[in-house]
Short mmCIF file of all heavy atoms in Angstrom, two decimals:
data_model
loop_
_atom_site.label_atom_id
_atom_site.label_comp_id
_atom_site.label_asym_id
_atom_site.label_seq_id
_atom_site.Cartn_x
_atom_site.Cartn_y
_atom_site.Cartn_z
N LEU Q 328 26.55 13.89 173.76
CA LEU Q 328 25.29 13.29 173.32
C LEU Q 328 24.68 12.45 174.45
O LEU Q 328 25.35 12.09 175.42
CB LEU Q 328 25.53 12.41 172.09
CG LEU Q 328 26.17 13.14 170.88
CD1 LEU Q 328 26.33 12.18 169.72
CD2 LEU Q 328 25.32 14.34 170.48
N ALA Q 329 23.40 12.15 174.28
CA ALA Q 329 22.68 11.40 175.31
C ALA Q 329 23.27 10.02 175.52
O ALA Q 329 23.13 9.41 176.59
CB ALA Q 329 21.21 11.29 174.94
N SER Q 330 23.95 9.50 174.50
CA SER Q 330 24.55 8.16 174.60
C SER Q 330 25.90 8.19 175.30
O SER Q 330 26.60 7.18 175.32
CB SER Q 330 24.73 7.62 173.19
OG SER Q 330 25.64 8.45 172.48
N ASN Q 331 26.27 9.37 175.86
CA ASN Q 331 27.57 9.60 176.48
C ASN Q 331 28.70 9.67 175.47
O ASN Q 331 29.87 9.73 175.84
CB ASN Q 331 27.89 8.52 177.53
CG ASN Q 331 26.96 8.61 178.72
OD1 ASN Q 331 26.57 9.72 179.12
ND2 ASN Q 331 26.57 7.47 179.26
N LYS Q 332 28.36 9.67 174.18
CA LYS Q 332 29.36 9.82 173.14
C LYS Q 332 29.66 11.31 172.97
O LYS Q 332 28.77 12.15 173.02
CB LYS Q 332 28.85 9.25 171.82
CG LYS Q 332 29.88 9.30 170.69
CD LYS Q 332 29.36 8.60 169.45
CE LYS Q 332 30.41 8.63 168.34
NZ LYS Q 332 29.92 7.94 167.12
N VAL Q 333 30.95 11.66 172.81
CA VAL Q 333 31.36 13.05 172.66
C VAL Q 333 31.79 13.28 171.21
O VAL Q 333 32.60 12.53 170.67
CB VAL Q 333 32.52 13.41 173.61
CG1 VAL Q 333 32.95 14.86 173.38
CG2 VAL Q 333 32.11 13.19 175.05
N ILE Q 334 31.22 14.30 170.59
CA ILE Q 334 31.58 14.66 169.22
C ILE Q 334 32.07 16.11 169.23
O ILE Q 334 31.41 16.98 169.80
CB ILE Q 334 30.38 14.52 168.27
CG1 ILE Q 334 29.95 13.06 168.15
CG2 ILE Q 334 30.70 15.09 166.89
CD1 ILE Q 334 28.75 12.83 167.25
N TYR Q 335 33.22 16.34 168.62
CA TYR Q 335 33.71 17.72 168.51
C TYR Q 335 33.10 18.35 167.26
O TYR Q 335 33.10 17.75 166.18
CB TYR Q 335 35.23 17.75 168.42
CG TYR Q 335 35.91 17.75 169.76
CD1 TYR Q 335 36.08 16.56 170.47
CD2 TYR Q 335 36.34 18.94 170.33
CE1 TYR Q 335 36.68 16.55 171.72
CE2 TYR Q 335 36.94 18.94 171.58
CZ TYR Q 335 37.10 17.76 172.27
OH TYR Q 335 37.69 17.76 173.50
N THR Q 336 32.59 19.55 167.42
CA THR Q 336 31.99 20.25 166.28
C THR Q 336 32.31 21.74 166.39
O THR Q 336 32.69 22.23 167.45
CB THR Q 336 30.48 20.03 166.23
OG1 THR Q 336 29.97 20.51 164.98
CG2 THR Q 336 29.76 20.75 167.36
N GLY Q 337 32.13 22.44 165.29
CA GLY Q 337 32.48 23.85 165.28
C GLY Q 337 31.35 24.75 165.74
O GLY Q 337 30.18 24.47 165.51
N ILE Q 338 31.72 25.84 166.42
CA ILE Q 338 30.77 26.92 166.69
C ILE Q 338 31.40 28.21 166.18
O ILE Q 338 32.62 28.33 166.08
CB ILE Q 338 30.42 27.05 168.19
CG1 ILE Q 338 31.65 27.42 169.02
CG2 ILE Q 338 29.77 25.79 168.71
CD1 ILE Q 338 31.32 27.80 170.46
N ALA Q 339 30.56 29.15 165.81
CA ALA Q 339 31.03 30.45 165.31
C ALA Q 339 30.62 31.53 166.28
O ALA Q 339 29.47 31.58 166.73
CB ALA Q 339 30.44 30.72 163.93
N LEU Q 340 31.55 32.40 166.61
CA LEU Q 340 31.29 33.46 167.58
C LEU Q 340 31.77 34.81 167.02
O LEU Q 340 32.69 34.85 166.20
CB LEU Q 340 32.04 33.18 168.89
CG LEU Q 340 31.59 31.94 169.66
CD1 LEU Q 340 32.61 31.62 170.75
CD2 LEU Q 340 30.20 32.15 170.27
N PRO Q 341 31.14 35.89 167.46
CA PRO Q 341 31.64 37.21 167.05
C PRO Q 341 32.83 37.63 167.88
O PRO Q 341 32.91 37.34 169.07
CB PRO Q 341 30.43 38.12 167.31
CG PRO Q 341 29.70 37.46 168.44
CD PRO Q 341 29.92 35.98 168.26
#
Side-chain angles (χ1 to χ4, degrees):
L328 303 181
S330 63
N331 293 324
K332 183 175 181 179
V333 178
I334 295 179
Y335 275 80
T336 191
I338 63 170
L340 295 167

